[in-house]
Structure formats: C-alpha cells, structure tokens
C-alpha cells in the first residue's frame, strides 16, 4: 500500500513515521503547494500540488492516486479537510481510503463557534464564548465575563490571530485590527462566510494546559486517549511536553471521542484550572502538533491506521503511551535544491 500525505508542510516526522510503519512494503508520497516545503524532501516521492482551493485540486489528487497505486490518503491541513470529507466517495470509487471524518464532524471542529455549542450542549466544560463584540461587551458590563479575554478567529488554524486583552479599550482595538488582519491570511475566504461573526471573544481560563490525542478506529469506535502536559509552546504548537496518566482526562477523552465519532485521530486542547475543572479549548480532527510526544512514548497511530485499512487488528501497544516520558522538538534542515 502506498500512502499519500497532502499539505505536508513541515511535518517531516509524520512522513518518517509512515515510512517506518510501511517497513518497505509501500511508499510515502507527499504533496504541498509550496515546492520548498520541508516534508517533501523526506518522502519517497514528492509532488507540487495546486492550492486546495483551486478548482482542479481534487482531480489532481485523484490522478496522482491512480498513477501511483495510492491506497491511503491523509491530509495534514485543517482547511483542506472539509473538501476531502465531501469528496470521500470519489476516492473510494478508485480504491483509495481517505482518512477523514464525516463533514458534520469536520464542520463542528473547524468552526470554533460550532465547537462551543457542541461542547456546551454535551455538558462538557468550555470557556464562555461570544460571537460578536457587542454581546461580549454586554457580558463584561454585567460581570458575566471578566478580563482578560481571548480573541480568536472563528475558523482558525495554527494559532493565527489569537490575542489576549485586559481592558475595554484593548478589546475594541484588537477586535478591529484582527478583522483587518484576517483579510490578509489564509482564513480570509472562510471568514467572509459570516463576516460579522468571524471573531470569537472567549473567557480566559488560567491553569495547566494538556494535549489529548483522541483515538478512534476507521469505523469511528473509541479505543484510547493519550494525555500530555504541555511544558512550552512555540508558534502555536506544543514544543515540550510530558506524557501523564490522568484518568479524569482519559475519561474526558473517551466521552469526547464517543460523542464526536471522528475517524482515527483528533487533537484536543484542554486547560485544567486550580480547582480541578477541565475546559476544552480546541478540537482538531487530524494529526496535531502534539502527536509526536505520544509517538516517542510508545504509541504508533500511523501503523494502526495501516492495519485498519488492511483489515488487520493493530498491536495493543500501538494504542498506549508510557507515562513520564518528557520530550522536546528541535529544528533540522532539509535541502530543497542545490546547484
């Protein structure tokens, strides 16, 4: 089986994990619209793709899959997931399994306002969230909401546009500045779908932040939760973390994964306040930047995905992590061309 990782970007480690899992019984192909993307350099075959917003993107991927005997396709980009979720049947028709959740799951996670309502309706802790500046100002005036508050794009990725403010003046200034900034980011198009509710104002919850990997199989059945305490962040991703054994967060992961019914892996950010209450900050239905900390602690979700796709049961140890493993990311160089 050959595996195609789309929008591979900087995720060299996932290219490596899938190559190791294949163990010579297939190749890892990678695509990105940027020919200088670092992850392209580690793949068995690399292809420069159109932008996923281009009209011919799906045709490009399908042709690539046909010509290279691809059996498994996995996207590493939040904004590409809705498109693949809705075109999943086309790929199934040519024998390609797209590891992506149903459109309703993708929409719930990508739209952070929908995430808030989903979590609230399920009785799961979540920071108070408002979808307009006016509603947030009324809540601040009434005492329902207190400074500091967090501003973030309703449709966000990679921590783009997240701001922390601690006064009415800063709130108004930051809100209007973020509105302008969104027009110059990759979030511009999707933010225009509801321009007046494209920025969320959210309660700031102080506490310890954790990253959860919620693991379901390809039939959306819950299997496991990996928990990591974040030690530091860098550019919106976990930079240092330690795996921990926390039954209360593992139970939260089970509840979330069972309700969400996603496919394979969902990345979840949770903050636990001093009084022990957990609040879910984000749900991202893909491999997240925190997954490598689970992998180095014994998990192997790439190998499990390959097993499920081939109708095999994964080894039990692939669905477990050893607690107490502290790890840190570091930079490496990838030569993209030489003269």
């Amino acid at each position: 089986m050959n595996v195609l990782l789309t929008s591979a970007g900087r995720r060299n480690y996932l290219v490596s994990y899938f190559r190791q899992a294949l163990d010579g019984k297939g190749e890892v192909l990678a695509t990105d619209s940027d020919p200088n993307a670092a992850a392209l350099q580690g793949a068995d075959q690399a292809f420069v793709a159109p932008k996923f917003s281009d009209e011919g993107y799906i045709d490009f991927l399908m042709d690539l899959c046909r010509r290279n005997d691809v059996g498994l396709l996995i996207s590493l980009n939040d904004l590409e997931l809705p498109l693949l979720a809705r075109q999943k049947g086309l790929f199934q028709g040519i024998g390609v399994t797209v590891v992506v959740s149903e459109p309703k799951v993708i929409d719930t996670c990508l739209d952070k306002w929908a995430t808030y309502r989903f979590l609230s309706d399920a009785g799961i802790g979540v920071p108070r969230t408002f979808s307009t500046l006016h509603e947030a100002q009324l809540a601040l005036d009434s005492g329902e909401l207190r400074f500091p508050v967090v501003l973030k794009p309703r449709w966000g990725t990679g921590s783009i546009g997240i701001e922390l403010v601690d006064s009415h003046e800063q709130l108004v200034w930051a809100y209007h500045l973020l509105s302008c900034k969104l027009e110059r980011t990759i979030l511009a198009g999707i933010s225009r779908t509801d321009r007046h509710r494209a920025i969320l104002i959210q309660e700031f919850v102080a506490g310890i932040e954790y990253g959860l990997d919620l693991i379901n199989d390809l039939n959306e059945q819950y299997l496991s939760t990996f928990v990591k305490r974040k030690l530091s962040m860098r550019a919106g991703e976990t930079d240092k973390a330690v795996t921990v054994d926390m039954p209360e967060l593992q139970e939260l992961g089970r509840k979330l994964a069972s309700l969400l019914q996603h496919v394979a892996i969902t990345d979840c950010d949770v903050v636990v306040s001093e009084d022990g209450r957990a609040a879910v900050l984000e749900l991202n239905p893909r491999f997240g930047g925190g997954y490598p900390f689970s992998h180095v602690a014994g998990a192997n979700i790439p190998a499990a995905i390959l097993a499920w796709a081939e109708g095999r049961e994964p080894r039990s140890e692939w669905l477990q992590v050893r607690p107490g493993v502290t790890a840190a990311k570091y930079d490496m160089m990838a030569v993209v061309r030489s003269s």
Side-chain angles (χ1 to χ4, degrees), residues 8 45 69 78 124 128 136-137 185 195 258 280 303 319:
Q45 296 188 64
D69 197 25
D78 289 311
I124 293 170
R128 294 182 198 86
Q137 289 172 321
T185 72
R195 188 186 300 273
S258 300
V280 176
L319 306 176

Side-chain angles (χ1 to χ4, degrees), residues 236-249:
E237 279 197 358
T238 306
D239 192 50
K240 301 180 182 71
V242 55
T243 53
V244 293
D245 182 12
M246 293 186 65
E248 62 273 29
L249 290 186

